[in-house]
mmCIF file of all heavy atoms in Angstrom:
data_model
loop_
_atom_site.group_PDB
_atom_site.id
_atom_site.type_symbol
_atom_site.label_atom_id
_atom_site.label_comp_id
_atom_site.label_asym_id
_atom_site.label_seq_id
_atom_site.Cartn_x
_atom_site.Cartn_y
_atom_site.Cartn_z
ATOM 1 N N LEU A 44 6.599 5.609 8.638
ATOM 2 C CA LEU A 44 6.584 4.544 9.636
ATOM 3 C C LEU A 44 7.154 5.007 10.979
ATOM 4 O O LEU A 44 6.716 4.576 12.040
ATOM 5 C CB LEU A 44 7.388 3.342 9.125
ATOM 6 C CG LEU A 44 6.761 2.647 7.905
ATOM 7 C CD1 LEU A 44 7.773 1.698 7.248
ATOM 8 C CD2 LEU A 44 5.498 1.898 8.290
ATOM 9 N N GLN A 45 8.117 5.946 10.934
ATOM 10 C CA GLN A 45 8.671 6.480 12.149
ATOM 11 C C GLN A 45 7.685 7.410 12.876
ATOM 12 O O GLN A 45 7.694 7.509 14.108
ATOM 13 C CB GLN A 45 9.967 7.222 11.848
ATOM 14 C CG GLN A 45 11.124 6.335 11.442
ATOM 15 C CD GLN A 45 12.317 7.112 10.922
ATOM 16 O OE1 GLN A 45 12.530 8.247 11.340
ATOM 17 N NE2 GLN A 45 13.076 6.535 10.017
ATOM 18 N N GLN A 46 6.831 8.059 12.130
ATOM 19 C CA GLN A 46 5.885 9.003 12.716
ATOM 20 C C GLN A 46 4.662 8.281 13.330
ATOM 21 O O GLN A 46 4.049 8.818 14.265
ATOM 22 C CB GLN A 46 5.397 9.983 11.640
ATOM 23 C CG GLN A 46 6.417 11.006 11.180
ATOM 24 C CD GLN A 46 6.577 12.140 12.178
ATOM 25 O OE1 GLN A 46 5.710 12.367 12.983
ATOM 26 N NE2 GLN A 46 7.685 12.831 12.100
ATOM 27 N N ALA A 47 4.317 7.121 12.823
ATOM 28 C CA ALA A 47 3.137 6.411 13.310
ATOM 29 C C ALA A 47 3.358 5.952 14.754
ATOM 30 O O ALA A 47 4.424 5.444 15.084
ATOM 31 C CB ALA A 47 2.800 5.255 12.407
ATOM 32 N N SER A 48 2.341 6.070 15.561
ATOM 33 C CA SER A 48 2.456 5.671 16.969
ATOM 34 C C SER A 48 2.214 4.168 17.163
ATOM 35 O O SER A 48 2.768 3.550 18.052
ATOM 36 C CB SER A 48 1.426 6.435 17.822
ATOM 37 O OG SER A 48 1.672 7.843 17.759
ATOM 38 N N TYR A 49 1.348 3.591 16.332
ATOM 39 C CA TYR A 49 1.058 2.158 16.395
ATOM 40 C C TYR A 49 2.000 1.387 15.481
ATOM 41 O O TYR A 49 2.520 1.922 14.490
ATOM 42 C CB TYR A 49 -0.381 1.883 15.927
ATOM 43 C CG TYR A 49 -1.443 2.244 16.939
ATOM 44 C CD1 TYR A 49 -2.067 3.491 16.881
ATOM 45 C CD2 TYR A 49 -1.862 1.338 17.919
ATOM 46 C CE1 TYR A 49 -3.062 3.837 17.792
ATOM 47 C CE2 TYR A 49 -2.859 1.696 18.804
ATOM 48 C CZ TYR A 49 -3.459 2.926 18.751
ATOM 49 O OH TYR A 49 -4.440 3.264 19.641
ATOM 50 N N PRO A 50 2.248 0.091 15.778
ATOM 51 C CA PRO A 50 2.907 -0.755 14.815
ATOM 52 C C PRO A 50 2.079 -0.773 13.534
ATOM 53 O O PRO A 50 0.845 -0.684 13.574
ATOM 54 C CB PRO A 50 2.906 -2.128 15.484
ATOM 55 C CG PRO A 50 2.754 -1.851 16.950
ATOM 56 C CD PRO A 50 1.912 -0.616 17.033
ATOM 57 N N VAL A 51 2.755 -0.853 12.380
ATOM 58 C CA VAL A 51 2.085 -0.747 11.096
ATOM 59 C C VAL A 51 2.361 -1.989 10.249
ATOM 60 O O VAL A 51 3.481 -2.434 10.122
ATOM 61 C CB VAL A 51 2.583 0.491 10.323
ATOM 62 C CG1 VAL A 51 2.055 0.543 8.890
ATOM 63 C CG2 VAL A 51 2.194 1.782 11.075
ATOM 64 N N VAL A 52 1.271 -2.524 9.681
ATOM 65 C CA VAL A 52 1.400 -3.575 8.651
ATOM 66 C C VAL A 52 1.151 -2.884 7.302
ATOM 67 O O VAL A 52 0.511 -1.850 7.243
ATOM 68 C CB VAL A 52 0.432 -4.737 8.868
ATOM 69 C CG1 VAL A 52 0.636 -5.354 10.237
ATOM 70 C CG2 VAL A 52 -1.053 -4.294 8.722
ATOM 71 N N ALA A 53 1.650 -3.512 6.241
ATOM 72 C CA ALA A 53 1.519 -2.817 4.963
ATOM 73 C C ALA A 53 1.596 -3.823 3.798
ATOM 74 O O ALA A 53 2.638 -3.973 3.141
ATOM 75 C CB ALA A 53 2.587 -1.746 4.791
ATOM 76 N N PRO A 54 0.475 -4.516 3.498
ATOM 77 C CA PRO A 54 0.476 -5.369 2.315
ATOM 78 C C PRO A 54 0.481 -4.494 1.054
ATOM 79 O O PRO A 54 0.296 -3.299 1.130
ATOM 80 C CB PRO A 54 -0.862 -6.120 2.448
ATOM 81 C CG PRO A 54 -1.731 -5.188 3.247
ATOM 82 C CD PRO A 54 -0.803 -4.495 4.196
ATOM 83 N N SER A 55 0.761 -5.110 -0.065
ATOM 84 C CA SER A 55 0.831 -4.367 -1.308
ATOM 85 C C SER A 55 -0.501 -3.668 -1.639
ATOM 86 O O SER A 55 -1.582 -4.170 -1.291
ATOM 87 C CB SER A 55 1.248 -5.272 -2.472
ATOM 88 O OG SER A 55 0.350 -6.381 -2.559
ATOM 89 N N ALA A 56 -0.417 -2.503 -2.286
ATOM 90 C CA ALA A 56 -1.587 -1.675 -2.554
ATOM 91 C C ALA A 56 -2.286 -2.150 -3.826
ATOM 92 O O ALA A 56 -2.212 -1.523 -4.892
ATOM 93 C CB ALA A 56 -1.164 -0.224 -2.686
ATOM 94 N N ASN A 57 -2.972 -3.263 -3.710
ATOM 95 C CA ASN A 57 -3.753 -3.819 -4.790
ATOM 96 C C ASN A 57 -4.787 -4.774 -4.233
ATOM 97 O O ASN A 57 -4.679 -5.226 -3.071
ATOM 98 C CB ASN A 57 -2.847 -4.571 -5.754
ATOM 99 C CG ASN A 57 -2.102 -5.716 -5.101
ATOM 100 O OD1 ASN A 57 -1.145 -5.494 -4.352
ATOM 101 N ND2 ASN A 57 -2.563 -6.937 -5.312
ATOM 102 N N LEU A 58 -5.797 -5.076 -4.992
ATOM 103 C CA LEU A 58 -6.743 -6.088 -4.588
ATOM 104 C C LEU A 58 -6.117 -7.470 -4.782
ATOM 105 O O LEU A 58 -5.300 -7.667 -5.679
ATOM 106 C CB LEU A 58 -8.037 -5.974 -5.433
ATOM 107 C CG LEU A 58 -8.736 -4.604 -5.351
ATOM 108 C CD1 LEU A 58 -9.999 -4.610 -6.231
ATOM 109 C CD2 LEU A 58 -9.117 -4.282 -3.915
ATOM 110 N N THR A 59 -6.521 -8.417 -3.922
ATOM 111 C CA THR A 59 -5.951 -9.743 -3.994
ATOM 112 C C THR A 59 -6.157 -10.339 -5.397
ATOM 113 O O THR A 59 -7.250 -10.274 -5.944
ATOM 114 C CB THR A 59 -6.577 -10.647 -2.941
ATOM 115 O OG1 THR A 59 -6.272 -10.130 -1.651
ATOM 116 C CG2 THR A 59 -6.051 -12.073 -3.033
ATOM 117 N N GLY A 60 -5.065 -10.887 -5.948
ATOM 118 C CA GLY A 60 -5.151 -11.481 -7.267
ATOM 119 C C GLY A 60 -4.707 -10.542 -8.372
ATOM 120 O O GLY A 60 -4.458 -10.997 -9.494
ATOM 121 N N LYS A 61 -4.606 -9.266 -8.074
ATOM 122 C CA LYS A 61 -4.152 -8.292 -9.073
ATOM 123 C C LYS A 61 -2.678 -7.987 -8.884
ATOM 124 O O LYS A 61 -2.094 -8.218 -7.819
ATOM 125 C CB LYS A 61 -4.995 -7.045 -9.012
ATOM 126 C CG LYS A 61 -6.429 -7.223 -9.425
ATOM 127 C CD LYS A 61 -7.123 -5.905 -9.733
ATOM 128 C CE LYS A 61 -8.507 -6.124 -10.289
ATOM 129 N NZ LYS A 61 -9.140 -4.825 -10.687
ATOM 130 N N VAL A 62 -2.043 -7.407 -9.889
ATOM 131 C CA VAL A 62 -0.628 -7.066 -9.856
ATOM 132 C C VAL A 62 -0.404 -5.937 -8.875
ATOM 133 O O VAL A 62 -1.150 -4.943 -8.880
ATOM 134 C CB VAL A 62 -0.122 -6.673 -11.263
ATOM 135 C CG1 VAL A 62 1.337 -6.258 -11.202
ATOM 136 C CG2 VAL A 62 -0.314 -7.855 -12.238
ATOM 137 N N PRO A 63 0.617 -6.028 -7.974
ATOM 138 C CA PRO A 63 0.916 -4.911 -7.038
ATOM 139 C C PRO A 63 1.190 -3.620 -7.772
ATOM 140 O O PRO A 63 1.837 -3.596 -8.823
ATOM 141 C CB PRO A 63 2.165 -5.430 -6.315
ATOM 142 C CG PRO A 63 2.090 -6.913 -6.382
ATOM 143 C CD PRO A 63 1.482 -7.191 -7.756
ATOM 144 N N ALA A 64 0.711 -2.512 -7.213
ATOM 145 C CA ALA A 64 0.888 -1.199 -7.807
ATOM 146 C C ALA A 64 2.329 -0.717 -7.661
ATOM 147 O O ALA A 64 2.918 -0.855 -6.599
ATOM 148 C CB ALA A 64 -0.065 -0.206 -7.172
ATOM 149 N N ILE A 65 2.876 -0.147 -8.731
ATOM 150 C CA ILE A 65 4.250 0.401 -8.673
ATOM 151 C C ILE A 65 4.263 1.913 -8.851
ATOM 152 O O ILE A 65 5.312 2.520 -8.873
ATOM 153 C CB ILE A 65 5.129 -0.278 -9.721
ATOM 154 C CG1 ILE A 65 4.606 -0.032 -11.124
ATOM 155 C CG2 ILE A 65 5.280 -1.773 -9.432
ATOM 156 C CD1 ILE A 65 5.535 -0.511 -12.241
ATOM 157 N N ASN A 66 3.063 2.540 -8.944
ATOM 158 C CA ASN A 66 2.988 3.993 -8.993
ATOM 159 C C ASN A 66 1.606 4.433 -8.502
ATOM 160 O O ASN A 66 0.707 3.598 -8.287
ATOM 161 C CB ASN A 66 3.244 4.553 -10.421
ATOM 162 C CG ASN A 66 2.333 3.945 -11.452
ATOM 163 O OD1 ASN A 66 1.090 3.910 -11.258
ATOM 164 N ND2 ASN A 66 2.864 3.473 -12.560
ATOM 165 N N GLY A 67 1.448 5.735 -8.305
ATOM 166 C CA GLY A 67 0.183 6.243 -7.739
ATOM 167 C C GLY A 67 -1.035 5.984 -8.615
ATOM 168 O O GLY A 67 -2.122 5.677 -8.097
ATOM 169 N N GLU A 68 -0.870 6.066 -9.916
ATOM 170 C CA GLU A 68 -1.983 5.835 -10.823
ATOM 171 C C GLU A 68 -2.549 4.422 -10.683
ATOM 172 O O GLU A 68 -3.763 4.205 -10.683
ATOM 173 C CB GLU A 68 -1.559 6.071 -12.266
ATOM 174 C CG GLU A 68 -1.261 7.526 -12.617
ATOM 175 C CD GLU A 68 0.066 8.023 -12.071
ATOM 176 O OE1 GLU A 68 0.900 7.174 -11.650
ATOM 177 O OE2 GLU A 68 0.274 9.234 -12.041
ATOM 178 N N GLN A 69 -1.659 3.435 -10.534
ATOM 179 C CA GLN A 69 -2.114 2.057 -10.374
ATOM 180 C C GLN A 69 -2.797 1.826 -9.038
ATOM 181 O O GLN A 69 -3.745 1.048 -8.947
ATOM 182 C CB GLN A 69 -0.925 1.097 -10.536
ATOM 183 C CG GLN A 69 -0.380 1.039 -11.969
ATOM 184 C CD GLN A 69 0.787 0.092 -12.096
ATOM 185 O OE1 GLN A 69 1.144 -0.632 -11.164
ATOM 186 N NE2 GLN A 69 1.414 0.066 -13.262
ATOM 187 N N VAL A 70 -2.337 2.534 -8.018
ATOM 188 C CA VAL A 70 -3.045 2.456 -6.723
ATOM 189 C C VAL A 70 -4.482 2.947 -6.860
ATOM 190 O O VAL A 70 -5.438 2.262 -6.419
ATOM 191 C CB VAL A 70 -2.310 3.297 -5.657
ATOM 192 C CG1 VAL A 70 -3.140 3.342 -4.341
ATOM 193 C CG2 VAL A 70 -0.909 2.741 -5.388
ATOM 194 N N LEU A 71 -4.664 4.090 -7.485
ATOM 195 C CA LEU A 71 -6.002 4.656 -7.652
ATOM 196 C C LEU A 71 -6.899 3.781 -8.505
ATOM 197 O O LEU A 71 -8.123 3.706 -8.267
ATOM 198 C CB LEU A 71 -5.901 6.043 -8.278
ATOM 199 C CG LEU A 71 -5.266 7.141 -7.395
ATOM 200 C CD1 LEU A 71 -5.193 8.462 -8.131
ATOM 201 C CD2 LEU A 71 -6.070 7.296 -6.087
ATOM 202 N N ALA A 72 -6.316 3.117 -9.491
ATOM 203 C CA ALA A 72 -7.121 2.246 -10.352
ATOM 204 C C ALA A 72 -7.813 1.139 -9.564
ATOM 205 O O ALA A 72 -8.938 0.746 -9.866
ATOM 206 C CB ALA A 72 -6.227 1.633 -11.418
#
């Protein structure tokens, strides 16, 4: 976040309605 030049938003890494990912494998799924 410090390196990015633009302001950053960051919703949870999951499709809406699914459980938020807590590790890399769940993100990829």
Side-chain angles (χ1 to χ4, degrees):
L44 294 166
Q45 290 171 29
Q46 289 281 341
S48 299
Y49 284 94
V51 172
V52 302
S55 56
N57 59 285
L58 301 179
T59 297
K61 293 196 174 184
V62 177
I65 61 172
N66 56 49
E68 291 75 14
Q69 292 180 5
V70 173
L71 292 178

